[in-house]
């Protein structure tokens, strides 16, 4: 049986334009982090996700097939993909280090907010996931770096990979493991 490729995320600029049109007051990386945190914490992949993730009941539900709707569909599919084909919505590698690191820390802030909204106070986390959540909290408080060298570029790539894996770990504990336990009962 052929495996359908996991849908790709819409472009950063397109997502930002859609958020600006909604006057959401948040960056595309922060909102994508929030959506992924929401989904990883067990939040439903519902069409009206912006109102839930951004905790603003006045935000309209994205039209089917719109940029924000495709962001939800692709994010959900990537988190569920057994091939770990999950990516963060961030500026391209050619952008300045300060922009990329700032966006990565924004993504973490959004992720923590969305995860907290969906998972509640005591999510069913493994020891590794508790540690990963703590690390994401530290990263969410970090400041973007103005200047950087090759070492900083390498560190940023490693941090991005860590965040990717941490998000998949949290999703595994809060969604996949719960789903598995339910299927056993």
């Amino acid at each position: 049986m052929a495996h359908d490729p996991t849908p790709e995320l819409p472009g950063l600029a397109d997502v930002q334009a859609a958020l600006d049109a909604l006057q959401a007051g948040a960056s595309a990386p922060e909102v994508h982090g929030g959506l992924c945190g929401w989904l990883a914490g067990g939040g439903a992949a519902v069409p009206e996700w912006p109102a839930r993730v951004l905790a603003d009941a006045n935000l309209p539900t994205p039209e089917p097939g719109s940029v924000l709707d495709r962001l939800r569909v692709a994010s959900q599919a990537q988190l569920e993909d057994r091939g770990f084909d999950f990516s963060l919505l961030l500026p391209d590698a050619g952008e300045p280090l300060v922009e990329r690191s700032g966006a990565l820390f924004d993504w973490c802030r959004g992720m923590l907010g969305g995860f907290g909204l969906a998972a509640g106070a005591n999510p069913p986390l493994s020891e590794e996931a508790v540690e990963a959540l703590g690390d994401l909290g530290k990263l969410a408080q970090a400041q973007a770096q103005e200047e950087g060298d090759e070492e900083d570029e390498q560190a940023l790539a490693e941090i991005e990979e860590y965040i990717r894996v941490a998000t998949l770990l949290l999703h595994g504990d809060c969604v996949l493991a719960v789903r598995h336990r339910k299927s056993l009962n």
Side-chain angles (χ1 to χ4, degrees):
M1 190 168 111
H3 174 69
D4 287 338
T6 306
E8 279 193 31
L9 298 173
L12 182 70
D14 293 339
V15 173
Q16 191 61 60
L19 291 169
D20 292 346
L22 289 180
Q23 298 178 327
S27 73
E30 185 177 0
V31 170
H32 183 245
L35 172 60
C36 292
W38 168 263
L39 295 171
V46 291
E48 67 275 11
W49 71 266
R52 295 195 183 183
V53 170
L54 297 171
D56 181 351
N58 297 321
L59 288 175
T61 298
E63 293 294 320
S66 69
V67 168
L68 294 179
D69 188 56
R70 292 194 332 264
L71 183 67
R72 171 186 61 88
V73 170
S75 299
Q76 174 73 13
Q78 286 186 5
L79 282 169
E80 297 279 339
D81 187 315
R82 296 216 186 279
F84 301 105
D85 190 18
F86 171 64
S87 49
L88 313 181
L89 186 65
L90 297 169
D92 293 328
E95 297 301 319
L97 184 68
V98 65
E99 272 183 49
R100 289 180 295 128
S101 60
L104 191 60
F105 302 143
D106 283 350
W107 197 97
C108 288
R109 279 189 282 281
M111 195 283 176
L112 288 171
F115 185 79
L117 281 171
N122 295 302
L125 299 179
S126 64
E127 216 173 292
E128 293 86 6
V130 169
E131 189 178 320
L133 197 57
D135 291 341
L136 289 171
K138 290 178 189 134
L139 288 167
Q141 295 170 15
Q143 295 298 313
Q145 196 171 333
E146 287 294 331
E147 301 288 321
D149 57 17
E150 196 58 43
E151 241 174 65
D152 295 319
E153 291 289 341
Q154 184 61 38
L156 190 66
E158 288 172 11
I159 291 169
E160 184 178 334
E161 181 59 17
Y162 180 83
I163 291 167
R164 230 177 50 74
V165 172
T167 303
L168 290 168
L169 178 65
L170 291 165
H171 181 259
D173 281 7
C174 292
V175 177
L176 302 180
V178 170
R179 195 180 296 155
H180 181 71
R181 283 193 294 273
K182 282 182 182 162
S183 73
L184 294 176
N185 294 334

